[in-house]
Amino acid sequence: MTSALPRTCVLTVAVLTALAALPAHAETAAQPTTLDRVEVTAAETTDAARKALARVPGAGNVIDLAKVAQGRVGGTADVLAYQPGISAQSPGNEGTKVSIRGSGINRGPGAHASGIAVSLDGLPLTAAGGTPYELLEPLWLSRVDVLRGANGFERGALALGGAINYVSRSGRDAPGLELHYEAGSRGYQKRSLGYGGVQDAVDYYFAYTDTEFDGYQKHASGDGKGAMANIGWQINPDLQTRFFLRYRETNHETPGRLTRAQIRNDPRAANPANLAIDAKRPQPGSTWIGNMTTLQLDEDSSLQAGLVYHKYPMDLNESLYRQQLDYANLNATLDYLRRHTLFGHDSVTTLGLRVTHDLDADVRETLRFASNGYPAGTHTRDFSHHGTDSTLHVSNELQLSDALRVQTGLALVQTRRTVEVTWPRTDARLNERDWDYAPRLGFTWQASPAAQWFGNLSRSVEPAHPWSMIWGSNQYFAAGNGASSGRQRAPVELDNQTATTLELGARGEGRIGRWELTGYYAHVNHELLSVEVVPVPNLFIAENNASPTVHRGIEAGLDSTLWQGGTGRLSLRQAYTFSDFRYRHDDRFGDNRLPGLPVHFYQAELRYDHASGAYAALNTEYASRVFVDYANSVRADSHLIFGSRVGFDAPSGRWQGWLELRNLGDRHYAATVTPGYDDGGRDVARSTPGEGFGVYAGVRLRFE
């Protein structure tokens, strides 16, 4: 294992050097990428976001939803496709499993996600209990900003995977009335109505969207509907405020995981245990109300404050037990930025506070079916798992020369966890408060007008979710406690997951196009890993701190113009991610790979755009085999799939239409894997199937 790192580093440096040496197009050389600092808001353009990314001493992605919407946009997996360093795979519903640099590798699809700090318009969505997904409707977005790894530092995002900020459409970038409809295989339909505009100092955007689908597997149908609003008010030249509202209801059946043999031979089947209990996941209505206000204190300093209330009840019916969850958060941000001189050099200092606080995180558990002499509906437990995460961070960016900038920073993290079973009442209660820290040192070096090097050495901190301290507990009610017998009775303590990560990379434009290449090495302690101990119907997934692990990898992206003439352009975009996640000399598993994600993941699209607005594309996705247990005794198969799409964007912007074909060869493959402990070579149901061959079409009309 240790000999692989030097070879990887040598390869990374060699390729980066070759790329940096490539001459740029003449027009690129005339526009250096070293730019003044740009403060990006929800209404600003994708180009401005890319310029802001160029100042970050690490890797990131800026995703333009106008490009994504030229095909099916069913969920987050469609939004995050073709992006280096990001794995996003759907189990057939909205519960997409998203991972960056191995973050959340332990999570199955559909669970509240871990390892990435997610925001909506700069306001925290991720709280102590993880990241819910039902509010991430793609048609409500203008773009997505991703800061991979420790590069979300200035946003108070200290998780291993970094930060994702979903930016809403506004009246400034989506004026007029817009109608959107798409439909396709297996009962898929999505309808959306949006309206935006600007009236003097106020801009506004409102949208309603609903979705329905039958699903690829049996027992996989679902639906969702909701509305959003984004209203901004420029009160005076120095003061701006923006209000956000999102409401959405979702419901889907849960078909369950399959064996490798089933994936190969009958991927549309449902897990018999899920069928027997009619497993499903209703989320009766999530409400998000937020405000972000920015005050320009003077020419060189600004203050930005954000506050959001988020209520998201759940009604889990995915095991023998019904669990009704009352979730609500109050989250806040406060950021002060000042430009000044330091040691005679231009400098920018940022001071920020990010707080997420559980107002409610209480669960009532009852029997869904008659069991052990107790009728359906019998009360089995009440428990609560509350958390508060507070991050105070300060950073400084110092411009030592026209080419070299250095960033330093330090964050202090306080976490509070209060977890207990409240009925039947026990004396076992976890009430802990912990402090941690995260320093950061990074640089950007503009080697030429068309090539920039960057790097950072950072520490990440990820506390355990409060719910994992009780849901995965190994302490149970003994026999004689009625219907509560055999259920977890007390929480367990879990340490913060921490990692020290070295990242080096480069990005720019040359003869080969716009490119980026990044290598990283993370030394992880107390990694939070989970394992399915008991399958459905009595589902039990335990989480614990692992022995030391290593996460290392390479992330590469390339967007090339292969040919350009007076009538059109032929382009190729590619994204490759190499992921090597291992134990470090574990007593039982040695240097085994961590299960759940492929070592090699590649996506590409070859596309022709005609000057008239017509376009045609051929795309592909490859993923290598994936271990499904920590003992590395079984692997899910690799896959190589192809798709295509054709469409037309009217030059006037008034209408758009497209036709998309997915998985042209109807290849059977595993989209996601939920890890087991040691399957001893047995073929256990741990995978959800990827979507088979499908045909989809859509149209968008705009009236101003």
Side-chain angles (χ1 to χ4, degrees), residues 295-313:
L295 174 63
Q296 194 70 35
L297 299 172
D298 55 41
E299 192 175 78
D300 296 316
S301 58
S302 64
L303 184 67
Q304 187 175 71
L307 183 67
V308 61
Y309 171 75
H310 183 200
K311 184 175 179 61
Y312 48 114

Side-chain angles (χ1 to χ4, degrees), residues 376-634:
T378 298
H379 191 192
T380 56
R381 278 188 309 170
D382 291 338
F383 53 98
S384 65
H385 38 75
H386 292 235
T388 300
D389 294 343
S390 304
T391 302
L392 178 66
H393 55 97
V394 59
S395 65
N396 175 264
E397 180 190 280
L398 186 64
Q399 185 166 335
L400 296 179
S401 69
D402 290 341
L404 180 63
R405 289 186 176 89
V406 174
Q407 185 189 81
T408 55
L410 176 66
L412 298 177
V413 186
Q414 186 197 62
T415 58
R416 299 187 65 180
R417 298 291 183 264
T418 304
V419 188
E420 64 179 325
V421 174
T422 56
W423 189 91
R425 172 65 67 177
T426 73
D427 294 330
R429 186 174 190 262
L430 187 149
N431 188 359
E432 65 177 26
R433 179 181 300 182
D434 194 15
W435 286 90
D436 218 319
Y437 66 99
R440 174 172 170 83
L441 175 65
F443 75 92
T444 60
W445 175 46
Q446 199 69 39
S448 72
Q452 181 192 76
W453 290 70
F454 57 81
N456 66 80
L457 179 64
S458 308
R459 188 173 193 262
S460 62
V461 177
E462 184 176 350
H465 300 318
W467 54 264
S468 66
M469 296 174 168
I470 184 66
W471 287 44
S473 171
N474 60 356
Q475 301 180 44
Y476 312 99
F477 284 106
N481 282 276
S484 303
S485 299
R487 304 301 289 162
Q488 292 95 337
R489 61 172 295 275
V492 293
E493 293 186 9
L494 295 172
D495 294 328
N496 289 350
Q497 173 184 307
T498 61
T500 301
T501 302
L502 175 64
E503 174 183 349
L504 294 172
R507 56 192 166 218
E509 293 190 41
R511 293 186 186 276
I512 59 174
R514 178 186 295 161
W515 56 269
E516 62 171 289
L517 184 61
T518 305
Y520 67 90
Y521 182 94
H523 183 152
V524 187
N525 286 323
H526 310 300
E527 182 163 4
L528 293 161
L529 296 177
S530 61
V531 61
E532 183 181 273
V533 179
V534 181
V536 175
N538 191 19
L539 183 63
F540 174 26
I541 297 179
E543 182 167 283
N544 213 326
N545 294 113
S547 61
T549 56
V550 166
H551 289 222
R552 55 189 176 182
I554 296 174
E555 305 159 342
L558 179 61
D559 191 346
S560 307
T561 297
L562 303 181
W563 172 85
Q564 186 157 2
T567 59
R569 173 178 179 259
L570 182 66
S571 62
L572 175 65
R573 60 172 172 164
Q574 304 174 79
Y576 168 70
T577 303
F578 168 75
S579 305
D580 184 14
F581 313 138
R582 295 177 178 269
Y583 284 106
R584 287 190 297 114
H585 316 306
D586 182 76
D587 290 341
R588 179 180 175 90
F589 296 127
D591 294 340
N592 279 6
R593 291 190 189 275
L594 298 180
L597 291 173
V599 175
H600 304 283
F601 185 63
Y602 174 79
Q603 291 180 310
E605 183 176 70
L606 179 67
R607 173 170 168 147
Y608 175 73
D609 288 273
H610 192 269
S612 66
Y615 57 88
L618 177 68
N619 55 66
T620 187
E621 174 181 296
Y622 169 77
S624 59
R625 294 190 297 169
V626 180
F627 283 116
V628 303
D629 66 346
Y630 293 98
N632 291 178
S633 71
V634 183

